[in-house]
Amino acid sequence: MIDSEAVFIGAEAARRLAEQRRVELEPGLTAAEFDRIEGRFGFEFADDHRAFLSAGLPIGRGWPDWCDGEVDHLRDRLAWPVKGVLFDVEHNAFWHDEWDARPADRGEALVVAGERLASVPQMIPVYSHRYLPAGRGTFGHPVLSMYQTDIIFYGVDLMDYVRQEFGAGESRDRRDPRWQPHATVAFWRELVG
């Protein structure tokens, strides 16, 4: 059973997005469609993300096409955060403090980084390079803009993200002390700048 607060966040985000009339929404995903998607790609949506996609499926440029999209394209979108970190390992000397000493050989460093990244929490695309963590039974995560290891907050939660990205409701100035996102998942929270 999904927590009522998660349902509220997801449904309210979808409602606000629909009110903008800038994004086309198709009927939301069904339980069977969620099962098919999660089984095919090996993750579970966070509860608020699930409620959002249940209320209406955004379609068009930038939105993941969970119903009719090419499987390889969706796999690439799911792999984007890890591939970005590996790019920075290879080309920009990135190395996480908890990965022990960086191997001198770049190829070996990529192998070690890939092994370490295999255990980090899965990030799921919301729109373009904006992501939420996977995880049934979780909700209220901030939406992260992820481009290699340049990761920033784009919303305190999914509802705030829709407000920030699409102008759906009163947008908070990020200098406002009430705008205090807290990354909730290991590894990725340490890269938020």
Side-chain angles (χ1 to χ4, degrees), residues 8 19-20 39 42 46 59 72 84-85 87 103 112 121 150 165 172-173:
F8 173 77
E19 282 180 350
Q20 294 302 299
I59 61 168
D72 288 341
V85 172
F87 181 90
V112 171
D150 180 13
E165 181 89 50
R172 284 190 195 143
D173 184 328

Side-chain angles (χ1 to χ4, degrees), residues 98-128:
E98 295 180 10
W99 290 351
D100 300 322
R102 180 187 173 108
D105 178 75
R106 188 182 324 186
E108 191 178 329
L110 280 171
V111 169
V112 171
E115 290 169 354
R116 300 282 196 243
L117 289 166
S119 66
V120 303
Q122 174 83 39
M123 299 300 288
I124 310 303
V126 175
Y127 172 78
S128 187

Side-chain angles (χ1 to χ4, degrees), residues 62 77 80 125-131 144-147 150 154:
R77 298 275 309 265
W80 168 268
V126 175
Y127 172 78
S128 187
H129 55 278
R130 313 295 192 249
Y131 283 77
L144 300 178
S145 176
M146 306 183 84
Y147 199 90
D150 180 13
Y154 239 75

Side-chain angles (χ1 to χ4, degrees), residues 73-91:
H73 177 70
L74 289 168
R75 286 192 198 287
D76 284 344
R77 298 275 309 265
L78 289 162
W80 168 268
V82 168
K83 284 183 178 180
V85 172
L86 290 173
F87 181 90
D88 278 357
V89 167
E90 183 175 13
H91 300 286

Side-chain angles (χ1 to χ4, degrees), residues 2-3 18 103 112 181:
I2 295 179
D3 185 282
V112 171

